[in-house]
Amino acid sequence: MSEERVLSPDIQFIKELRAVGGETVKKCYQCATCGVVCPMAGDERPFPRKEMIMGQLGLKDQLIVDPDIWYCHNCNDCSKYCPRGARPGDVLGALRAKSIQEFAIPKFMGQIVTNPKMTIVALAIPLVIFLVLLGLTGHLRIPEGEIVYSKFFPIPYIEILFMSLVGLAGIAYIVSLKRFWDGITAANGKNYIKRFDDALLETILEFLPHRKFTKCETNADRKNAHFLVFYGFVGLFITTLWITFYYYVFKIHSPIALSDPMKWFANISALSLLVGILMVISNRAKDKGVNSKTSSFDMTFIVIVLLLAITGILTELIRLMGIAGLAYPMYLIHLTFVFYTIVYFPYSKLAHMGYRALAITYAKMTGRDIE
Ligand code: SF4
Ligand code: SF4
């Protein structure tokens, strides 16, 4: 006799899911079209139809540890063909946002960063910290002479502040990912056919060229946009290490000449980020016959990254034009967006990298992977 299970719908979870972009979940009538068109669905996996019915029932405990939701990269092939306008692609995006929110610690940070109504508060926090720090140390004024940002905001202040907070955020992220991993393995079993390190390496090597993105048809150009944004961030991370190396090892201080290879690398990375995020916006705005809506969680991240890139480029251009009264405030605004991006990353859209990598690693370890 088969095992009987009592399912208890979590009404609150359904409400929360609908609030973060999954408002159409109830429209699904299980026709299975999405499972047929989804390039990530396997023969044994009724995906994303399974998640749609689980979402309707509010099965939060199963959904937030469902590794399959991380296979979806929001191509929206399914939403294009869904006869009910249930937008399964958007519902899966909302489920991923809920999963990040549930596992993030401290939880209140997840609620602040994932709630667009709190974005102003999240931005005000670093700005106030900067103003208080500069005020207390006597730096809250426009310095005389050549524009050199470290005269206004000394490098050691930035490093101590950012390194300590990014370190704390990193610890919180690792703990969140561990909770997520424990949740996945407890809910889905540990029938491993592959080692963790081998599966993780395979996942990373598959991700670097964005191999899975090439499977979708409706939004094939998403690959290029994501590629540019991802490598823009990687480039800016390398630039930060490069500058630190210059400062402490070679004692080369800012402003660094435009002809320096580090400057070239930094500017190309910033441009990659800007072009990539503009392509993301343009792709979402184009009418491809897809019934899809960008969630507030995604939109907040897109706007922050756009402002990060624009203020970074303006910070350099205004310095080159020599307008000190504009350059220093712009630098402060840019640092605010840098803070938002790197200190809040365990709670923002950026956090998805670790969750997705673990979910796909788990799928590879247990033979659930889809080629
Ligand atoms: S989400 Fe749409 S396509 Fe998928 S099963 Fe439901 S109604 Fe059908
Ligand atoms: S958005 Fe694309 S990858 Fe995600 S479920 Fe739909 S078809 Fe599959």
Side-chain angles (χ1 to χ4, degrees):
M1 206 172 135
S2 58
E3 185 193 348
E4 279 188 20
R5 281 201 199 179
V6 178
L7 299 177
S8 8
D10 182 336
I11 306 296
Q12 184 55 27
F13 179 70
I14 301 173
K15 279 189 194 154
E16 288 169 10
L17 185 64
R18 297 177 83 167
V20 292
E23 62 267 31
T24 46
V25 66
K26 290 275 187 184
K27 288 191 174 181
C28 171
Y29 63 172
Q30 291 292 302
C31 71
T33 308
C34 51
V36 176
V37 299
C38 174
M40 297 298 157
D43 294 342
E44 305 294 322
R45 186 154 47 182
F47 171 82
R49 178 167 66 93
K50 165 172 64 81
E51 283 70 20
M52 293 301 281
I53 196 157
M54 286 163 78
Q56 289 178 344
L57 293 171
L59 301 182
K60 171 183 166 184
D61 294 343
Q62 287 89 334
L63 282 165
I64 60 171
V65 291
D66 177 2
D68 295 352
I69 63 174
W70 296 95
Y71 263 88
C72 165
H73 50 274
N74 216 0
C75 69
N76 274 319
D77 283 358
C78 56
S79 298
K80 180 173 179 179
Y81 294 103
C82 172
R84 287 278 290 164
R87 307 202 325 247
D90 291 351
V91 173
L92 288 197
L95 285 171
R96 290 190 293 276
K98 283 305 297 168
S99 187
I100 292 175
Q101 209 180 58
E102 285 298 322
F103 287 104
I105 59 150
K107 206 164 178 139
F108 74 89
M109 282 301 296
Q111 277 152 0
I112 290 177
V113 180
T114 54
N115 182 354
K117 289 183 188 145
M118 298 294 282
T119 304
I120 292 295
V121 176
L123 285 168
I125 293 171
L127 193 57
V128 170
I129 294 175
F130 296 156
L131 292 174
V132 169
L133 179 66
L134 295 177
L136 289 176
T137 54
H139 284 87
L140 201 53
R141 56 185 166 71
I142 304 292
E144 298 286 327
E146 188 191 2
I147 301 172
V148 179
Y149 291 124
S150 55
K151 286 198 298 197
F152 175 66
F153 208 139
I155 302 279
Y157 292 7
I158 293 186
E159 298 211 324
I160 291 169
L161 187 65
F162 275 75
M163 277 165 72
S164 51
L165 292 174
V166 171
L168 283 177
I171 293 169
Y173 190 45
I174 290 168
V175 176
S176 306
L177 291 179
K178 171 81 172 65
R179 278 157 42 86
F180 175 64
W181 180 261
D182 291 345
I184 282 195
T185 53
N188 301 283
K190 296 182 181 178
N191 300 320
Y192 301 141
I193 55 166
K194 216 175 249 184
R195 285 163 47 121
F196 177 82
D197 48 355
D198 290 340
L200 182 63
L201 183 65
E202 225 178 272
T203 304
I204 293 169
L205 292 179
E206 196 174 79
F207 171 73
L208 291 178
H210 285 41
R211 200 155 65 80
K212 284 206 186 321
F213 273 76
T214 50
K215 289 188 165 213
C216 46
E217 293 170 9
T218 309
N219 268 324
D221 41 4
R222 284 187 71 248
K223 178 190 169 186
N224 297 335
H226 195 277
F227 199 83
L228 286 172
V229 170
F230 175 73
Y231 282 102
F233 270 123
V234 171
L236 291 173
F237 176 69
I238 294 172
T239 304
T240 308
L241 298 180
W242 199 335
I243 294 174
T244 311
F245 192 70
Y246 266 13
Y247 188 83
Y248 288 106
V249 180
F250 290 128
K251 309 287 179 209
I252 300 174
H253 294 173
S254 56
I256 293 164
L258 273 181
S259 54
D260 191 284
M262 188 278 287
K263 273 282 178 191
W264 275 90
F265 190 76
N267 287 335
I268 290 170
S269 302
L271 216 56
S272 166
L273 189 64
L274 180 65
V275 173
I277 204 70
L278 287 173
M279 282 170 71
V280 168
I281 295 169
S282 147
N283 284 342
R284 288 183 187 236
K286 271 186 219 159
D287 181 4
K288 296 173 183 157
V290 179
N291 182 10
S292 170
K293 204 171 128 192
T294 303
S295 70
S296 52
F297 179 67
D298 284 7
M299 190 44 89
T300 306
F301 179 72
I302 291 170
V303 171
I304 294 286
V305 173
L306 179 65
L307 293 174
L308 172 78
I310 291 175
T311 55
I313 291 169
L314 284 179
T315 297
E316 183 168 4
L317 288 179
I318 298 172
R319 178 181 69 78
L320 292 173
M321 288 189 276
I323 312 170
L326 259 185
Y328 291 108
M330 184 56 70
Y331 180 56
L332 207 56
I333 293 170
H334 177 58
L335 281 183
T336 303
F337 288 114
V338 173
F339 185 104
Y340 188 105
T341 309
I342 64 176
V343 176
Y344 297 154
F345 82 93
Y347 319 100
S348 75
K349 176 86 178 174
L350 268 189
H352 80 278
M353 273 194 301
Y355 287 83
R356 192 183 294 276
L358 282 184
I360 295 179
T361 298
Y362 174 81
K364 289 184 186 300
M365 287 171 75
T366 50
R368 297 163 63 103
D369 191 27
I370 299 164
E371 289 303 323

